[in-house]
Amino acid sequence: MDFAILDFIQTCHNDVFTFIMKCLTYASNHGRLWIGLCIVLLCIPKTRKIGVYLAVTLLIEFLLNDRVIKPLVARDRPFIQRPEIDTIISRPSGFSFPSGHSASSFATAMALFLQNKKWGIGALVIASGVAFSRLYFAVHFPTDVICGSLFGILIAIAVNLIGKRIEKYLAERKRVKEE
């Protein structure tokens, strides 16, 4: 099923779409797009709390996804299993499952959505484009992208829940101290 979906996507290539997909995939290489967003939000006093949520989410996602899950699963990429696949872009190294681009994109976008719905919707659209670009270039299987996306979303939700509890605890502690 994974290869059937990838084969279909390969029939949809055109110059304009390839350019758009390259922009999305390159911007998110090594988390650049999302790290940049975190830095901007952290530098602005009004958005600093949002930046903290995003940065913590992105860091936890990276550590769990790239340093724990990928080495444990050790799934080869599609172009390793079928060398005749033309990825168009340079072939990434490392394992395929789950997709790090998808996980980091959805982790950050969902963290932003949970803090600011308006900004988050735009980020989720971009995250979807990034995730699809990984299929477009056949550097991941659909299951890698789906699981990476879901994993990123779950990390964002968990960080948000824990963060809200910490905020509530600190506010209560401050209130008690002031009394």
Side-chain angles (χ1 to χ4, degrees):
M1 180 89 165
D2 269 340
F3 275 118
I5 294 168
L6 286 179
D7 290 341
F8 172 74
I9 292 170
Q10 300 306 296
T11 67
C12 301
H13 285 190
N14 67 59
D15 292 341
V16 172
F17 211 49
T18 297
F19 174 77
I20 294 167
M21 293 294 105
K22 279 184 180 180
C23 290
L24 287 168
T25 212
Y26 289 146
S28 58
N29 278 351
H30 310 292
R32 283 188 290 240
L33 173 66
W34 308 112
I35 292 168
L37 177 61
C38 290
I39 291 169
V40 168
L41 293 172
L42 286 167
C43 288
I44 302 169
K46 226 175 155 178
T47 60
R48 192 162 290 141
K49 184 176 96 171
I50 296 172
V52 168
Y53 273 94
L54 268 63
V56 170
T57 299
L58 191 57
L59 178 63
I60 292 171
E61 174 279 320
F62 169 74
L63 292 172
L64 292 176
N65 191 72
D66 290 32
R67 299 294 182 226
V68 176
I69 298 172
K70 274 191 180 218
L72 283 175
V73 176
R75 183 182 195 186
D76 284 332
R77 292 179 182 270
F79 58 81
I80 299 292
Q81 294 183 29
R82 286 190 25 207
E84 70 275 9
I85 291 176
D86 180 12
T87 59
I88 302 173
I89 61 172
S90 60
R91 294 179 171 199
S93 60
F95 296 117
S96 190
F97 182 90
S99 166
H101 278 71
S102 302
S104 64
S105 295
F106 273 95
T108 311
M110 180 56 81
L112 183 57
F113 180 80
L114 292 169
Q115 297 299 312
N116 183 305
K117 303 283 188 260
K118 186 176 175 182
W119 294 351
I121 289 171
L124 287 166
V125 169
I126 292 169
S128 298
V130 169
F132 183 76
S133 76
R134 307 310 284 168
L135 300 175
Y136 187 84
F137 295 122
V139 295
H140 282 289
F141 290 105
T143 48
D144 302 338
V145 168
I146 292 166
C147 290
S149 300
L150 292 174
F151 182 67
I153 289 168
L154 291 174
I155 294 293
I157 291 169
V159 168
N160 187 66
L161 289 172
I162 293 167
K164 294 298 180 194
R165 286 190 179 161
I166 291 170
E167 282 184 57
K168 186 177 177 181
Y169 170 77
L170 293 174
E172 180 63 24
R173 196 167 152 206
K174 183 180 177 183
R175 187 188 62 76
V176 169
K177 193 174 183 180
E178 289 173 352
E179 290 178 351

